[in-house]
């Protein structure tokens, strides 16, 4: 409980994510705090949630069955309407069978955690395995959190391949020695808006005898000529394909499902606790979803308006200098980068009567914050024009200096009213002023240090043993983990360990700790995924000044230490 109280006290100072209250739900307009807003971040793609057709179906369900189903389907709650809806979903996805769940998140959590353990459940009823079976998941790095949670809970072997990189996936499949391999991917990636290469994934599945599990939450009802999803978009069918989807996005209700071969469905009904040990979706929602599936087919103008709006928005944005992450689907994210800046631009849009989600870490990597635009069948051209006009008016802000939402690294050391580490700022001020006052001495020390480095590199270093390597690497990791925070914090938390390395092992060791620390920091702070590109001039200066401080500390701390060259002499 101590940790919980500590975290709660920290949250009381200001939560990372503010929850806004709304009076109505986006369709795509809604009311919040007494004002009308237009949502450009709604999953209600076809504006079906408030359709009179769905409302009438839900009303029929409430009248006939009440407001909820309090039973599990295994114990008295298996209404015929659930079986009818499952048959309808299976037909839509061109599969033999389908299984309903209460939510999409619960579907991934339950199914992916259960598949590798089906044999354990079956043995309870007398099944005897014909050999040893092992499982491995192969997951795209950008997959939804529910997928990652489900795989983690399965206890099976897990591998992650780089986003959309089929060569990397094939290399992992080739090395695998497990008997059952399952490739897992989003159909449409929720934070990027791009579409998985389903034909390519199925080709690899054929080559390496694997299954493909596709989370089509954002594709079902949206992609394909009839709204059947990612598989219809590519025109592919396969017995190796397990299709998962949600009923809370294009279909405007609640629930989740998988559509698969009959044998797989029956096994999951037996082994999946998320199916048998909880209530399923309310009866009124089952009837509403059935009506929504009919509406997608009977009212193709909804999907036509959705895609017309998507194309119009993309064409208008081509006039501006923003970077669009993807333009393949109604999810069209605008890359901003800086988290605070994304919040600021989203706030400007809110002031103009538009709601746009600023998506930040942990939903995306650090410094990859974006505005996730989701087009809707209910948007008007005037609403889209207003959105683009406001974005146009804020282009300088979006591409300019980041807003001062926290003490900046190497910013002014004057302590303000909101500063929560005055002791650290004061310490940094002392170091900064000392560096200014002793500039020439520091420069001479740097020259001297460079000479010693050259001597060290040309000498054998028998004294740099395992203990030196461990301490150096530990210091580097500490710096890399937390350099995102401001430098006054670093002075005490990370420059001191580097100084310790210099005192204990000498000048060369301190230099190694500094160089490795800066390299790790460049990787983690600026581009967490496979890139060393630093695209912010201020951040380059910050890292350079940090390195200078570290080198100065190394020189001073190791003043009484002999260099490797002098020791050899």
């Amino acid at each position: 409980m101590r940790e919980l109280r500590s975290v709660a006290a920290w949250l009381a100072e200001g939560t990372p994510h503010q929850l806004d209250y709304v009076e109505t739900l986006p369709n795509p307009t809604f009311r919040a705090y007494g004002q009308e807003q237009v949502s450009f971040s709604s999953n209600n793609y076809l504006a079906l949630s408030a359709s009179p057709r769905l409302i009438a179906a839900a009303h029929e369900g409430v009248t006939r069955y009440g407001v909820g189903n309090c039973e599990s389907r295994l114990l008295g709650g298996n209404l015929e309407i659930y079986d009818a809806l499952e048959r309808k979903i299976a037909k839509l996805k061109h599969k033999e069978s389908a299984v309903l769940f209460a939510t999409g998140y619960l579907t991934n959590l339950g199914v992916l955690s259960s598949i590798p353990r089906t044999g354990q459940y079956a043995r309870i009823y007398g099944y005897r395995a014909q050999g040893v079976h092992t499982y491995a998941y192969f997951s795209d790095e950008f997959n939804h959190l529910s997928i990652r949670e489900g795989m983690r809970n399965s206890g099976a072997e897990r591998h992650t391949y780089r986003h959309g990189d089929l060569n990397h996936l094939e290399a992992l499949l080739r090395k695998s020695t497990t008997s059952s391999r399952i490739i897992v991917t989003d159909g449409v990636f929720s934070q990027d808006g791009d579409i998985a290469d389903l034909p390519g994934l199925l080709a690899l599945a054929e080559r390496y005898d694997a299954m493909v599990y596709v989370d089509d939450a954002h594709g079902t009802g949206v992609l394909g000529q009839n709204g059947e999803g990612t598989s219809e978009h590519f025109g592919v069918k396969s017995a190796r394909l397990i299709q998962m989807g949600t009923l809370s996005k294009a279909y405007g209700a609640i629930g989740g499902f998988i559509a698969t071969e009959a044998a797989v469905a029956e096994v999951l009904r037996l082994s999946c606790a998320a199916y048998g040990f909880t209530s399923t979706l309310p009866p009124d929602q089952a009837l509403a979803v059935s009506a929504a599936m009919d509406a997608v087919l009977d009212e193709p103008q909804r999907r036509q308006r959705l895609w017309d709006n998507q194309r119009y928005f993309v064409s208008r944005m081509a006039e501006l200098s923003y970077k669009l992450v993807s333009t393949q689907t109604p999810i069209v994210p605008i890359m901003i980068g800086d988290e605070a800046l994304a919040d600021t631009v989203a706030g400007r849009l809110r002031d103009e009567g538009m709601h746009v989600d600023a998506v930040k870490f942990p939903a995306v990597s650090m410094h990859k914050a974006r505005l996730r635009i989701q087009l809707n069948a209910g948007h008007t051209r005037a609403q889209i024009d207003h959105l683009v006009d406001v974005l146009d008016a804020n282009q300088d802000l979006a591409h300019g200096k980041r807003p001062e939402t926290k003490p900046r690294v190497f910013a002014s050391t004057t302590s303000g009213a909101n500063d929560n580490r005055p002791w650290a700022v004061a310490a940094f001020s002392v170091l900064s002023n000392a560096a200014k006052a002793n500039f020439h001495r520091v420069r001479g020390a740097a020259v001297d240090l460079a000479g010693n480095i050259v001597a060290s590199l040309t000498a054998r270093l028998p004294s740099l043993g395992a203990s030196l390597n461990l301490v150096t690497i530990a210091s580097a990791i500490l710096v890399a983990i937390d350099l995102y925070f401001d430098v006054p914090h670093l002075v005490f938390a990370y420059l001191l360990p580097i100084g310790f390395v210099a005192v204990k092992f000498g000048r060369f060791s301190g230099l190694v700790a500094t160089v490795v620390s800066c390299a790790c920091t460049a990787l983690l702070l600026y581009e967490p995924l496979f890139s060393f590109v630093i695209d912010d001039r201020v951040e380059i200066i910050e890292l350079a000044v940090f390195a200078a401080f570290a080198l100065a500390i190394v020189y001073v701390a190791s003043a009484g230490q002999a260099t490797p060259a002098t020791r050899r002499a």
Side-chain angles (χ1 to χ4, degrees), residues 308-380:
D308 287 345
N309 286 339
Q310 190 267 2
R311 286 186 284 267
Y312 181 68
F313 173 73
V314 170
S315 67
R316 286 294 319 273
M317 288 299 294
E319 305 166 8
L320 309 183
S321 59
Y322 290 95
K323 176 185 176 183
L324 303 182
V325 177
S326 174
T327 60
Q328 292 180 276
T329 68
I331 302 174
V332 186
I334 301 173
M335 179 60 68
I336 300 297
D338 184 79
E339 287 76 15
L341 183 56
D343 282 334
T344 300
V345 178
R348 297 285 179 88
L349 292 167
R350 191 180 305 113
D351 293 341
E352 294 290 335
M354 290 169 288
H355 172 78
V356 174
D357 287 330
V359 178
K360 303 167 291 184
F361 180 84
V364 294
S365 302
M366 289 293 295
H367 303 292
K368 294 290 186 181
R370 63 207 56 190
L371 302 176
R372 186 173 70 164
I373 305 295
Q374 291 174 271
L375 280 305
N376 190 284
H379 285 142
T380 66

Side-chain angles (χ1 to χ4, degrees), residues 140 161-170:
D140 190 290
Y161 62 91
R162 291 186 290 271
H163 177 53
D165 189 339
L166 299 191
N167 291 329
H168 187 207
L169 171 60
E170 182 171 16

Side-chain angles (χ1 to χ4, degrees), residues 175-253:
K175 294 177 183 177
S176 176
T177 58
T178 53
S179 59
S180 301
R181 306 172 186 87
I182 305 173
I183 303 167
V184 188
T185 183
D186 282 353
V188 175
F189 291 90
S190 58
Q191 309 303 341
D192 288 67
D194 54 338
I195 306 173
D197 181 2
L198 194 53
L201 294 172
L202 285 170
L204 288 178
E206 287 286 346
R207 190 176 307 160
Y208 294 95
D209 192 22
M211 299 290 289
V212 176
Y213 181 103
V214 57
D215 178 341
D216 214 18
H218 291 272
T220 301
V222 173
L223 294 180
Q225 184 177 354
N226 300 300
E228 295 174 10
T230 304
S231 58
E232 186 186 31
H233 172 78
F234 287 110
V236 296
K237 299 176 185 177
S238 173
R240 295 183 180 276
L241 183 62
I242 300 176
Q243 299 199 54
M244 174 271 174
T246 62
L247 307 172
S248 58
K249 293 178 172 57
Y251 289 147

Side-chain angles (χ1 to χ4, degrees), residues 19-46:
L19 294 178
D20 293 324
Y21 293 98
V22 298
E23 299 160 26
T24 62
L25 296 173
N27 197 45
T29 59
F30 67 101
R31 290 188 64 80
Y33 303 105
Q35 296 183 346
E36 185 173 278
Q37 298 268 318
V38 179
S39 177
F40 280 94
S41 287
S42 172
N43 294 321
N44 185 22
Y45 292 110
L46 301 178

Side-chain angles (χ1 to χ4, degrees), residues 418-480:
N418 295 324
D419 179 27
N420 59 0
R421 284 201 291 268
W423 56 271
V425 173
F428 178 65
S429 298
V430 172
L431 288 175
S432 179
N433 293 333
K436 293 176 182 177
N438 296 277
F439 173 76
H440 295 291
R441 183 180 177 183
V442 171
R443 183 177 63 180
V447 173
D448 184 27
L449 179 60
N452 288 329
I453 291 171
V454 173
S456 298
L457 292 176
T458 57
R460 293 183 179 181
L461 304 173
S463 63
L464 295 181
S467 60
L468 165 61
N469 294 330
L470 288 175
V471 174
T472 301
I473 293 172
S475 299
I477 292 174
L478 282 174
V479 176

